[in-house]
Amino acid sequence: MEEKKILENRQGEVFTSSNTNSSPVRKKLLLESYGCQMNFSDSEIVASILSEAGYTTTKEIEEADVVLLNTCAIRDNAEQRIRHRLDHLKSVKKKNPDMVVGVLGCMAERLREKLLEEEKLVDLVVGPDAYRDIPRLVEQVEHGSKAVNVLLSREETYAEISPVRIDSNGVTAFISIMRGCDNMCSFCVVPFTRGRERSRDPKTIINEATDLFNKGYREVTLLGQNVDSYKWNITSKGEVIQPDEPTVNFAQLLAQVAEVSPELRVRFSTSHPKDMTDEVLDTMAKYENICNYIHLPVQSGNSDVLKRMNRGYTREWYLDRIAAIRRIIPGCAISTDVIAGFCDETEQEHQDTLSLMKEVGYDMAYMFKYSERPKTLAERKYEDNVAEETKGRRLTEIIDLQMQSASLRTKQHIGKIQKVLVEGVSKKSDAHHYGRNSENVVVVFPRGNSRIGEYVHVQNVDATSVTLIGEIVH
Ligand code: SAH
Ligand code: SF4
Ligand code: F3S
């Protein structure tokens, strides 16, 4: 496919070098993203596809010809948020009946045609593997019919598409390295909304990282639902596909990205406890520019609950992985995801989650009440039988404990001199810059001569609960 250079001007308008002289800009696109980093990264692919088709982006809903919501379906409240947004769009559409409203992403994939019946203003429904088709589908809508493409693919990785960086600080960027998920955790809708797991050609990943580095970016985050099962040229059974081509696993991919430049920081998300190998940890330890931070979702601290969740590991296995991280990468920050009130969760099982959290001492956590999702294994097999009130109370206990842990972990950095990548001007004070240390903690410091996109050494002198206050040292 022909590669076209994508340009972005100061107003955030996106256009392609090939169409700036010939065809005038035709339509304005408003693109909103919800959900996980993967969705935000997908929106950059959608923006790229639409800029090729001659669209410019806008942030003003009143001037948009096409409004696309890239949606999340992970919990019921994520979908409710989208419904509220659609309600608001109704009044905008009354004033501008020609405005095309589209729903993309996981909620589109989950509800398919039903979304057109339930939300009358929606014209367009497009699933995560059908984004190349959006320009054609919008045309179909303009010719008077509704349009749906929710086909999932076993191959699509948008490998060669050069994402248009939306709302970028010019310093940090996401790179998708794989799509879909084959894990079937019983609570999770993702395998249904994003289809089968597939990895992206490593050459295109390295090219994207190199290109970002050459443009001044200094940090990339490699994204996948389970990065540890990244594999290229090898089947899930371990058979080599092309014998004369090298195989690449996640640890090897990490090393290749780290070698783009020692000045390029590398992060990744999400690791899966059942698949995270020592080889990955050894690679992290070997390269200074692979950040000391691992997001390792535990979900529950009780092995029976983990079994019902179909997570593929026990409490002991998980704690062994934590021990391996502490042994191989001392000082590594660890974050997690926790679900409160999963089906049949007893008080004792909940206590086991609290005790595991105490034992690990997480730097950060995302914590949720269990939300039953249609079609999932848990919905078919178990009853969502923990009372709402109990779920709420357990979640509060989990959050309270985590707040204490986070504050302790942040304080441990006080007094240390650390390398910080400057990301921007502090929201609270023009005289301050902010950035992050390798462990992903935000550090705010008087800007001095520092410039955005540069590394500085900062001595941490104080901390609020989750932010460090520092001073540049030379
Ligand atoms: N692939 C990642 C997580 C993807 S979803 C992983 O395997 O860890 C992000 C988080 O949302 C999950 O880790 C889980 O904690 C939470 N989550 C997923 N489904 C949920 C549900 N039905 N109810 C509540 N939380 C859920
Ligand atoms: Fe969902 Fe589990 Fe896949 Fe994560 S690993 S996306 S929780 S099914
Ligand atoms: Fe949500 Fe889909 Fe991500 S359900 S969490 S946007 S993969």
Side-chain angles (χ1 to χ4, degrees):
M1 201 178 172
E2 189 199 356
E3 281 238 337
K4 288 179 188 163
K5 198 169 161 221
I6 288 162
L7 308 168
E8 197 169 350
N9 71 10
R10 280 175 187 275
Q11 282 74 45
E13 289 188 341
V14 186
F15 49 91
T16 62
S17 54
S18 54
N19 72 14
T20 44
N21 300 326
S22 48
S23 58
V25 161
R26 283 168 300 162
K27 281 177 261 167
K28 284 201 184 292
L29 160 75
L30 180 92
L31 180 54
E32 289 180 7
S33 310
Y34 301 80
C36 63
Q37 293 169 332
M38 203 86 201
N39 248 19
F40 284 75
S41 169
D42 279 3
S43 288
E44 300 186 330
I45 288 165
V46 172
S48 174
I49 290 167
L50 285 173
S51 81
E52 292 277 314
Y55 285 77
T56 62
T57 56
T58 177
K59 290 197 170 17
E60 305 301 326
I61 200 150
E62 284 74 21
E63 63 174 37
D65 301 297
V66 178
V67 177
L68 300 177
L69 307 186
N70 194 0
T71 62
C72 174
I74 199 83
R75 286 168 291 275
D76 186 56
N77 57 11
E79 292 199 357
Q80 291 314 326
R81 205 172 150 210
I82 308 290
R83 304 256 186 203
H84 286 134
R85 190 64 184 145
L86 288 171
D87 274 348
H88 172 72
L89 289 181
K90 267 184 206 147
S91 57
V92 184
K93 192 154 172 160
K94 262 200 197 114
K95 283 184 228 144
N96 178 11
D98 290 337
M99 181 176 87
V100 175
V101 176
V103 176
L104 320 179
C106 292
M107 192 174 167
E109 189 64 49
R110 191 179 85 71
L111 292 165
R112 305 175 168 215
E113 286 82 4
K114 255 203 328 214
L115 204 51
L116 296 176
E117 292 154 29
E118 291 172 13
E119 302 284 348
K120 294 280 181 258
L121 84 160
V122 173
D123 306 298
L124 185 71
V125 176
V126 191
D129 287 344
Y131 294 152
R132 290 182 203 261
D133 203 18
I134 296 177
R136 187 188 69 82
L137 295 167
V138 173
E139 268 178 39
Q140 191 177 322
V141 171
E142 286 164 350
H143 286 107
S145 59
K146 303 244 170 185
V148 180
N149 186 344
V150 287
L151 284 176
L152 287 173
S153 156
R154 277 176 176 254
E155 283 95 34
E156 180 65 274
T157 58
Y158 303 108
E160 85 300 349
I161 292 185
S162 177
V164 168
R165 305 293 164 181
I166 303 170
D167 291 334
S168 166
N169 58 7
V171 183
T172 60
F174 296 131
I175 302 182
S176 280
I177 62 163
M178 57 206 295
R179 302 182 69 81
C181 183
D182 281 352
N183 276 325
M184 287 294 183
C185 301
S186 65
F187 51 80
C188 185
V189 79
V190 172
F192 302 92
T193 63
R194 297 209 154 238
R196 299 303 299 269
E197 180 189 288
R198 66 222 97 123
S199 297
R200 177 179 169 189
D201 184 339
K203 287 195 247 13
T204 67
I205 298 171
I206 302 303
N207 286 346
E208 195 172 326
T210 308
D211 185 47
L212 284 164
F213 183 76
N214 291 338
K215 286 181 174 142
Y217 285 81
R218 290 295 174 264
E219 182 182 296
V220 293
T221 302
L222 309 181
L223 294 181
Q225 293 300 346
N226 177 0
V227 290
D228 300 287
S229 68
Y230 176 90
K231 51 183 112 30
W232 184 252
N233 196 25
I234 190 160
T235 65
S236 46
K237 291 191 186 104
E239 293 146 359
V240 177
I241 299 165
Q242 302 251 9
D244 43 351
E245 289 270 315
T247 62
V248 183
N249 66 16
F250 181 58
Q252 292 160 332
L253 179 73
L254 254 187
Q256 287 180 21
V257 178
E259 282 183 11
V260 166
S261 164
E263 293 290 298
L264 181 70
R265 273 188 171 177
V266 187
R267 298 184 188 274
F268 55 88
S269 192
T270 302
S271 305
H272 198 299
K274 81 176 161 62
D275 296 322
M276 193 189 64
T277 59
D278 284 3
E279 190 190 354
V280 167
L281 302 178
D282 289 333
T283 308
M284 291 176 74
K286 183 170 161 200
Y287 291 91
E288 188 269 338
N289 56 326
I290 304 180
C291 291
N292 288 341
Y293 180 90
I294 297 182
H295 185 59
L296 197 66
V298 67
Q299 317 297 0
S300 165
N302 176 277
S303 296
D304 292 335
V305 177
L306 289 169
K307 190 147 194 233
R308 295 202 288 281
M309 288 178 164
N310 201 26
R311 285 288 287 179
Y313 55 87
T314 59
R315 177 187 173 103
E316 291 69 33
W317 174 278
Y318 184 89
L319 288 173
D320 169 77
R321 295 291 74 211
I322 296 289
I325 298 171
R326 301 265 188 250
R327 183 176 71 243
I328 299 170
I329 318 164
C332 186
I334 304 175
S335 61
T336 200
D337 295 344
V338 183
I339 298 179
F342 185 64
C343 311
D344 295 331
E345 186 187 68
T346 64
E347 203 52 40
Q348 183 52 49
E349 289 168 343
H350 163 63
Q351 289 300 327
D352 287 347
T353 295
L354 295 176
S355 79
L356 178 131
M357 291 177 73
K358 270 189 209 140
E359 194 167 335
V360 176
Y362 290 107
D363 294 79
M364 214 265 291
Y366 297 100
M367 299 155 283
F368 314 100
K369 270 195 258 181
Y370 173 58
S371 164
E372 185 176 79
R373 307 310 289 136
K375 280 200 195 161
T376 55
L377 217 67
E379 189 238 12
R380 286 179 280 140
K381 210 166 154 192
Y382 306 114
E383 209 183 321
D384 179 14
N385 55 2
V386 176
E388 192 54 31
E389 209 186 321
T390 312
K391 279 185 191 171
R393 195 248 310 147
R394 288 180 186 169
L395 181 65
T396 307
E397 288 173 13
I398 287 168
I399 293 173
D400 287 348
L401 181 62
Q402 180 50 34
M403 275 166 57
Q404 291 170 25
S405 172
S407 152
L408 276 177
R409 295 287 301 174
T410 309
K411 285 205 178 75
Q412 287 186 359
H413 295 284
I414 295 177
K416 289 187 185 154
I417 296 174
Q418 293 176 321
K419 192 170 163 186
V420 170
L421 174 59
V422 187
E423 286 180 29
V425 178
S426 159
K427 280 200 187 83
K428 288 193 188 140
S429 143
D430 273 358
H432 289 73
H433 272 157
Y434 76 90
R436 275 174 298 150
N437 62 14
S438 177
E439 293 75 20
N440 212 32
V441 184
V442 173
V443 187
V444 180
F445 51 91
R447 60 204 276 179
N449 296 326
S450 64
R451 283 195 306 214
I452 295 168
E454 269 181 3
Y455 293 99
V456 288
H457 280 90
V458 170
Q459 173 146 41
N460 303 315
V461 291
D462 202 355
T464 66
S465 58
V466 289
T467 309
L468 288 163
I469 323 281
E471 281 163 9
I472 296 180
V473 291
H474 294 283

